[in-house]
Amino acid sequence: MTGRRAPDSGPPTLLAVAHGTREADGVATTEALVARVRALRPELRVERCFLDLVSPSLPQALTGLRGEVVLVPLLLGAGYHVRVDIPAALADAPHLRARVARALGPDPLLAEALADRLDEAGWPKEAGCPGEAGRPGPGAGALVLAAAGSTDPAANAGTAAMAELLRRRLPGLPAVVPAYLCAAGPTPAEAVAALHAEGHRRVAVASYLLGPGFFARRASAAGACLTSAPLGPHDALARLVTLRYDEALGDRRNGPPEGRTGARSGRMLTPG
């Protein structure tokens, strides 16, 4: 006897849906984040899957589940994956009563994690950079928030909102400019150069990315005085995953889900 509860008993399963990467460090980051979620909520069955490149895939994970499931995208913005790919996979899983939580960002908990990563990288309170003598004057320090980027303007608007949340979180309210590593502009390198041209002597990059990989390396090459590490399995990020799960269940308690309810997909909450 394994002690695992029956599929239809207890609270809904939390299925964390990650993007997927060829890089082992990136996959390990997802696994570490999911482990922290499990530690925070031991009463929940917490599973994970990937949208691309890594197994189990989202369809594979859905096939192996029963009963009620809340899908929490481990994605920072509500782009194509959240709007199209996840609902399409659910349409092929009529045996589940499933809901899709909101994307993780923007959110103040992400600002907390970003600020911690900047602190770890050496971004000092006075908005200077390591190894530079003297106190910075007005306009001396600024930040670029480097996100993956999307062809969806709404997703990029979410990054801009996240930049403002980060600015409010940091001492001295430094300038924080959103930038995009693909599909939109400015690029982090362009944003760093523009801030230098405006008179900011010290410009750092905050990596608005979940894990290491190609985009993280590209962010590090933007010409800033320092680049923070990706968010990784930060405690605030794990808390945010559980918050998105609870939000989705709150929607259920408040009435039927809004949006599409397909005959083949059961009850489904479209991402909001």
Side-chain angles (χ1 to χ4, degrees), residues 115-175:
D116 283 351
R117 294 293 183 241
L118 284 164
D119 184 66
E120 292 164 2
W123 180 254
K125 302 288 186 185
E126 64 269 21
C129 277
E132 296 182 339
R135 295 183 61 83
L143 288 160
V144 171
L145 183 67
S150 173
T151 56
D152 185 340
N156 295 332
T159 299
M162 192 66 239
E164 177 61 18
L165 288 173
L166 178 59
R167 184 187 74 85
R168 295 176 188 175
R169 175 84 189 188
L170 296 173
L173 301 177

Side-chain angles (χ1 to χ4, degrees), residues 193-218:
L195 286 167
H196 280 311
E198 291 173 7
H200 295 280
R201 296 193 302 277
R202 301 165 179 89
V203 180
V205 168
S207 296
Y208 189 40
L209 302 166
L210 289 179
F214 173 78
F215 280 157
R217 291 191 293 272
R218 188 173 178 187

Side-chain angles (χ1 to χ4, degrees), residues 1 21 45 58 70 76 80 94-95 99 102 115 136 169 188 195 242:
M1 182 173 179
T21 174
R45 178 182 177 183
L58 175 55
V70 175
L76 296 173
Y80 187 86
H95 63 287
R99 288 170 175 261
R102 289 195 291 140
R169 175 84 189 188
L195 286 167
T242 66

